[in-house]
Amino acid sequence: MKFTLRQLAIFAATARTGSISRAAELSAISQSAASSSLAEFERQFDIQLFDRVGRSLRLNELGERLLPRAMELLDRADDIEALLHGRAGFGTLDIGATLTIGNYLATLIGAEFLQRHPDARIRLEVHNTATIVQQVAGFDLDLGLIEGRSQHPDLVTAPWLDDELVVFCAPTHPMAQRRVATADELLGQPWILREIGSGTRETLDQATRHFEGRLDVRLELEHTEAIKRAVESGLGIGCISRMALREAFRRGSLVAIETPSLDLRRRFHFLWHRQKFQTAGMKAFLDLCREMTAGARRSDEIELSYIP
């Protein structure tokens, strides 16, 4: 075999960062050593894996085909090394979650996982669906937990849990008395919504596609708690997951508005790269996600007393 695991690791780090210097930092070697390793790798097979654009490196077609195979081999090598060293732990898991899942489920599941597996480590990133899909596709994350949908050809999407969005307003809002709204009434209201690219916004946009008009979006925010505060202050009406509103509805600080004209049902999904080696840690985390939400028909019915 002409290539080494170190060469593959340098190649993969360069591909993920677009920079030799950053790849060297991640690999704990000098920049000259990283550059020499990559150059020797390409020279051995008389190939080019990157297009040089100024000071940055971009994968060419061959490099894009090689990256998933290299990542799978490196993951397997890490698994073999852990076995040979007698390490029973799962190492570090890089998990990405969209906002609702990240704030209301993933942290709790992660805490339980670490209680059961004290040698493990978790790095949790919370972004919108579009960003999580991109990071899983680029091997920056081991697993994604998303609220939206993914059509990325390189990713596997597995169903997890049903969820439902709900339109809501402040108790002082005129709609709070009737607690139901028609399509025309919804079009006439100012809205406080998640940003385009989020699973929540995608679900609402899909549900309102048949409306003869566009929603009046007054404010776009990236965080559900900020949306709740803005709606409480009377700036407009909002639409987020029922799970994120359970405590506010219980306190009466926000009021649900029934919307017969909208289908706001959706599903949470697991996401991983089709060519990524599934480690024991990944499988254990997926199993725990399913275990801790078992028996719930919908996210807001999960019988976990510590979810607000």
Side-chain angles (χ1 to χ4, degrees):
M1 186 176 294
K2 292 185 177 180
F3 64 85
T4 66
L5 290 176
R6 171 52 65 90
Q7 287 175 322
L8 281 183
I10 297 298
F11 158 72
T14 304
R16 292 167 63 186
T17 62
S19 164
I20 283 284
S21 59
R22 182 69 183 124
E25 291 177 17
L26 293 175
S27 305
I29 61 175
S30 68
Q31 182 173 338
S32 61
S35 181
S36 297
S37 175
L38 182 60
E40 176 64 15
F41 185 36
E42 291 181 316
R43 186 196 63 77
Q44 284 175 284
F45 296 94
D46 192 23
I47 56 172
Q48 185 172 321
L49 298 169
F50 296 90
D51 293 326
R52 274 68 175 178
V53 182
R55 300 183 66 179
S56 65
L57 299 175
R58 296 179 185 173
L59 281 176
N60 58 24
E61 182 180 355
L62 178 59
E64 289 179 350
R65 289 166 53 197
L66 176 61
L67 180 58
R69 293 170 172 81
M71 292 301 302
E72 181 181 16
L73 184 55
L74 291 169
D75 286 340
R76 288 184 181 274
D78 287 341
D79 195 53
I80 291 172
E81 185 175 27
L83 176 66
L84 294 176
H85 281 293
R87 295 199 296 266
F90 293 140
T92 299
L93 281 176
D94 292 325
I95 308 294
T98 44
L99 206 65
T100 301
I101 298 174
N103 286 340
Y104 300 97
L105 279 179
T107 51
L108 301 174
I109 295 171
E112 177 64 21
F113 186 84
L114 294 176
Q115 288 287 337
R116 298 187 186 188
H117 308 287
D119 292 333
R121 298 289 183 272
I122 291 178
R123 183 175 66 88
L124 176 64
E125 294 199 12
V126 180
H127 300 288
N128 65 26
T129 296
T131 301
I132 297 299
V133 168
Q134 180 183 16
Q135 290 182 321
V136 174
F139 293 95
D140 295 314
L141 296 172
D142 298 318
L143 288 171
L145 313 176
I146 64 172
E147 302 152 34
R149 293 174 292 182
S150 168
Q151 304 297 327
H152 199 293
D154 296 334
L155 304 184
V156 175
T157 303
W160 175 19
L161 180 68
D162 287 339
D163 182 54
E164 185 179 46
L165 305 183
V166 59
V167 177
F168 63 101
C169 65
T172 55
H173 194 282
M175 284 188 178
Q177 302 304 315
R178 291 182 54 228
R179 301 196 177 212
V180 63
T182 66
D184 287 341
E185 288 171 325
L186 294 174
L187 284 171
Q189 295 296 321
W191 287 77
I192 316 297
L193 297 178
R194 287 289 309 280
E195 78 287 0
I196 293 174
S198 68
T200 296
R201 182 65 174 272
E202 178 187 27
T203 300
L204 180 62
D205 287 347
Q206 180 70 12
T208 58
R209 70 190 186 283
H210 62 282
F211 280 16
E212 295 182 0
R214 301 179 64 180
L215 299 181
D216 176 16
V217 182
R218 175 173 293 183
L219 182 63
E220 290 184 337
L221 296 168
E222 293 186 359
H223 298 285
T224 54
E225 291 301 314
I227 292 173
K228 288 157 67 174
R229 299 291 87 80
V231 172
E232 283 179 351
S233 69
L235 285 179
I237 63 176
C239 182
I240 59 176
S241 172
R242 284 187 184 273
M243 181 173 62
L245 290 161
R246 290 201 312 191
E247 180 62 19
F249 288 165
R250 186 191 66 81
R251 293 195 312 265
S253 58
L254 292 169
V255 175
I257 304 171
E258 298 306 318
T259 52
S261 59
L262 298 181
D263 181 3
L264 295 174
R265 294 171 297 177
R266 65 178 181 178
R267 179 170 288 181
F268 294 163
H269 290 87
F270 301 120
L271 195 68
W272 61 86
H273 200 288
R274 193 176 301 279
Q275 292 185 270
K276 182 172 180 59
F277 171 64
Q278 278 209 9
T279 64
M282 289 171 61
K283 293 176 182 177
F285 189 87
L286 289 171
D287 287 343
L288 183 59
C289 287
R290 296 185 177 102
E291 176 190 329
M292 291 184 67
T293 57
R297 295 177 303 168
R298 203 171 60 195
S299 64
D300 59 307
E301 298 176 358
I302 298 173
E303 295 183 3
L304 297 176
S305 60
Y306 41 83
I307 290 185

